[in-house]
Amino acid sequence: MCIRDSKNYLMLSQFFVLSARGDTIINRDFRSDLIKNTPEIFFRHVKSFKGDAPPIFNIDGINFAYLKRSGLFIVGTTRFNVAPSFILEVLVRMTKCIKDFCGVVTEESIRKNFVLIYEILDEMIDFGTPQLLATESVKHLIANEPITIDGYKPISYRPSFLMKDTISSTAAFRPVSVGDQSKQKNEIFVDLFEKISVLFNSSGFAINSMIEGCIQMKSYLFGNPELRLALNDDLVIGKSATGNLGSIVLDDCNFHECVNFSEFELNRTLKIKPPDGEFTVMNYRITNDFQAPFRIFPYIDEVSSYKLELLLKVRACYPKDITASHLVIKFQVPKVTSSCHNELVKGAKDQKVDYNENTKTVQWTVKSVPGGVELTLKTKISLTSNANSYNARKEIGPISTNFEIPMFNVSNMQIKYLRVEKQEKGKDQLKWIRYITQSSSYVCRT
């Protein structure tokens, strides 16, 4: 992307990165038209909110816009009336470019690569005006080599059932090469992510459900050759479209600018000219009925006028050879609770239940959940002497669930093949494809 305009509504005055503690890690003043303590003003204002501050706000004539990534605040300031969508898009592209060069955006990686990051910023922004906002446009102008971060572990869980020759999920967090590519592996990583939102009623039936999916790539292929990526033949776009029984129906979808989808309607094939770094090939959304990976069944019993008992059953509705990880279930208990006792079934492994007296919250954590199993938790709640059990039971819940399921997707969207159009002789190309399903808003009413 190249933007050349002298008008003030495209001007960015400052760019800085703050840690979660408010320490300034990166600070670049492009125009010297604002006061120097804007990072302190920004951090004090953001911390004054109980929750998250709005992404754009104005203080004493200074417009602040920020993103939050890995606990870091990535901030842009301007005194001009810049379009909010424009300044946020600039911050997103700057963050993506930094991530492509550094591999990851963390406090450690930014501190170790601060010289490289300042060089990137100077090439991307000229006197506050965005010039080059794509990795491939900046790459040939960068002289410094990135310093890689050893021991970085992403949130993704790598289950034990994967074969020994399966590459670690940390491999996709390597930086793009700016020097000699002969030492770099000729490979490409493809991730099919799906985030699920489901609302269950108290009987365990889904009231509302949605899948938000995307296909992401990170290419280390020499010369960025053209790729062909094929999806399911039974893919149907639009809820009003007609397809065979069992077809995958997407409500809508969109593609990256590097994707040629001229053959997509014919054979569900995409032609891709991959840019340097990470990019999203395709976004899609599904609101049709689908099999939720977890079914939640809450049963509340009034034992006496001052005692309640919650029996919570969670059923894993996916194949037995699939294992979910980091299952976390949270729910509120009544404010008039005097004590709360949680019981797991005998022989329960890798499970932990915590009760927070201050927030009246129960958190049930399960390290791994194989498909087809049913988990059970019994919570015994004692109320204060002046409490009413009938009214108190209404304060139990809702039950929220977080999880991740590697090598599984709910929609059955599949990558049939990924081919390199022109393969150079003597240079083997490695293609790594994985599927990840995560919870977005997974809630059950009680």
Side-chain angles (χ1 to χ4, degrees):
M1 178 180 179
C2 182
I3 302 173
R4 299 187 184 277
D5 197 316
S6 61
K7 293 191 176 180
N8 291 339
Y9 57 75
L10 297 181
M11 294 296 186
L12 190 67
S13 296
Q14 298 168 325
F15 174 87
F16 52 86
V17 179
L18 304 182
S19 70
R21 304 177 301 277
D23 301 330
T24 302
I25 308 173
I26 297 291
N27 189 354
R28 172 61 81 205
D29 193 340
F30 299 112
R31 296 178 53 82
S32 300
D33 58 352
L34 293 178
I35 55 178
K36 301 299 181 182
N37 64 335
T38 47
E40 299 174 15
I41 296 172
F42 167 83
F43 191 73
R44 283 200 304 267
H45 184 75
V46 167
K47 286 301 178 181
S48 66
F49 288 82
K50 292 183 179 179
D52 291 331
I56 297 179
F57 52 85
N58 181 287
I59 301 177
D60 297 331
I62 304 173
N63 298 310
F64 292 86
Y66 78 97
L67 307 173
K68 200 169 182 181
R69 297 288 187 272
S70 303
L72 301 175
F73 296 98
I74 301 170
V75 191
T77 66
T78 179
R79 64 184 183 86
F80 303 108
N81 188 21
V82 179
S85 58
F86 173 81
I87 191 170
L88 287 175
E89 178 67 16
V90 169
L91 290 177
V92 167
R93 296 201 181 202
M94 293 172 75
T95 305
K96 177 188 176 299
C97 194
I98 291 172
K99 180 182 178 183
D100 288 339
F101 278 96
C102 298
V104 292
V105 178
T106 62
E107 182 174 349
E108 182 184 5
S109 68
I110 291 178
R111 288 189 185 278
K112 287 189 175 182
N113 290 283
F114 74 95
V115 175
L116 170 63
I117 292 173
Y118 278 119
E119 185 180 10
I120 294 170
L121 294 178
D122 290 341
E123 297 295 346
M124 298 181 77
I125 308 294
D126 181 18
F127 195 60
T129 303
Q131 299 292 316
L132 304 172
L133 296 182
T135 304
E136 59 268 25
S137 302
V138 179
K139 183 178 177 180
H140 69 283
L141 302 171
I142 302 301
N144 287 283
E145 287 281 353
I147 301 172
T148 57
I149 306 301
D150 297 326
Y152 174 73
K153 294 182 179 180
I155 298 175
S156 283
Y157 165 72
R158 186 168 183 261
S160 59
F161 61 78
L162 291 179
M163 296 184 296
K164 292 182 180 180
D165 60 349
T166 301
I167 196 166
S168 170
S169 59
T170 59
F173 294 94
R174 296 201 313 271
V176 296
S177 176
V178 296
D180 184 11
Q181 288 191 340
S182 61
K183 299 179 182 179
Q184 180 179 314
K185 289 185 178 180
N186 191 27
E187 56 190 353
I188 185 169
F189 298 87
V190 183
D191 290 328
L192 197 155
F193 284 105
E194 288 189 345
K195 288 199 169 185
I196 306 176
S197 298
V198 182
L199 176 62
F200 297 97
N201 62 15
S202 57
S203 301
F205 294 101
I207 303 173
N208 190 16
S209 57
M210 181 176 66
I211 299 173
E212 293 177 305
C214 70
I215 300 175
Q216 287 187 344
M217 281 189 180
K218 191 162 188 178
S219 175
Y220 298 94
L221 297 175
F222 301 152
N224 293 344
E226 188 174 274
L227 309 171
R228 290 179 70 91
L229 185 144
L231 302 175
N232 310 54
D233 292 328
D234 59 350
L235 200 62
V236 178
I237 310 298
K239 297 188 73 172
S240 58
T242 58
N244 298 326
L245 184 64
S247 298
I248 302 172
V249 181
L250 308 184
D251 287 41
D252 49 59
C253 62
N254 57 65
F255 303 94
H256 191 271
E257 58 190 14
C258 72
V259 177
N260 181 345
F261 48 88
S262 58
E263 299 180 16
F264 188 68
E265 288 293 335
L266 180 64
N267 53 20
R268 298 309 184 206
T269 302
L270 301 173
K271 292 182 179 179
I272 306 168
K273 182 65 176 176
D276 288 316
E278 187 178 78
F279 67 100
T280 301
V281 177
M282 174 185 180
N283 293 296
Y284 60 89
R285 185 170 60 95
I286 300 174
T287 57
N288 288 341
D289 293 335
F290 56 85
Q291 175 65 57
F294 287 100
R295 296 282 302 277
I296 304 172
F297 302 95
Y299 305 96
I300 301 176
D301 184 27
E302 294 182 36
V303 180
S304 67
S305 58
Y306 57 91
K307 284 188 178 182
L308 295 173
E309 191 172 284
L310 169 65
L311 181 65
L312 184 59
K313 292 183 179 290
V314 179
R315 186 178 304 157
C317 304
Y318 45 86
K320 294 183 179 180
D321 58 341
I322 300 296
T323 301
S325 62
H326 305 302
L327 175 65
V328 179
I329 300 171
K330 293 181 181 180
F331 57 89
Q332 295 284 134
V333 296
K335 295 179 182 178
V336 291
T337 300
S338 61
S339 65
C340 181
H341 179 66
N342 297 287
E343 295 179 0
L344 295 169
V345 296
K346 292 183 179 180
K349 295 181 180 179
D350 297 325
Q351 298 186 37
K352 183 178 67 172
V353 185
D354 297 312
Y355 171 62
N356 190 315
E357 176 69 31
N358 296 326
T359 61
K360 305 295 183 184
T361 304
V362 175
Q363 178 171 308
W364 180 16
T365 305
V366 186
K367 186 176 180 181
S368 61
V369 185
V373 305
E374 185 174 274
L375 306 173
T376 304
L377 171 67
K378 184 181 288 186
T379 300
K380 297 180 179 180
I381 302 169
S382 298
L383 308 176
T384 56
S385 58
N386 59 346
N388 184 306
S389 61
Y390 177 77
N391 294 328
R393 68 173 293 166
K394 298 178 182 178
E395 298 181 20
I396 298 177
I399 301 165
S400 63
T401 309
N402 290 302
F403 57 84
E404 181 176 293
I405 311 177
M407 304 312 295
F408 174 77
N409 67 327
V410 176
S411 68
N412 293 321
M413 175 88 82
Q414 298 291 322
I415 297 174
K416 290 172 58 180
Y417 63 80
L418 176 64
R419 294 176 184 167
V420 179
E421 289 291 270
K422 294 181 181 179
Q423 186 167 346
E424 297 183 31
K425 293 182 179 180
K427 293 185 178 180
D428 294 333
Q429 292 153 339
L430 300 176
K431 306 162 195 145
W432 305 99
I433 300 176
R434 65 175 176 173
Y435 300 83
I436 300 177
T437 296
Q438 295 177 332
S439 59
S440 179
S441 175
Y442 209 88
V443 178
C444 179
R445 295 173 178 172
T446 54

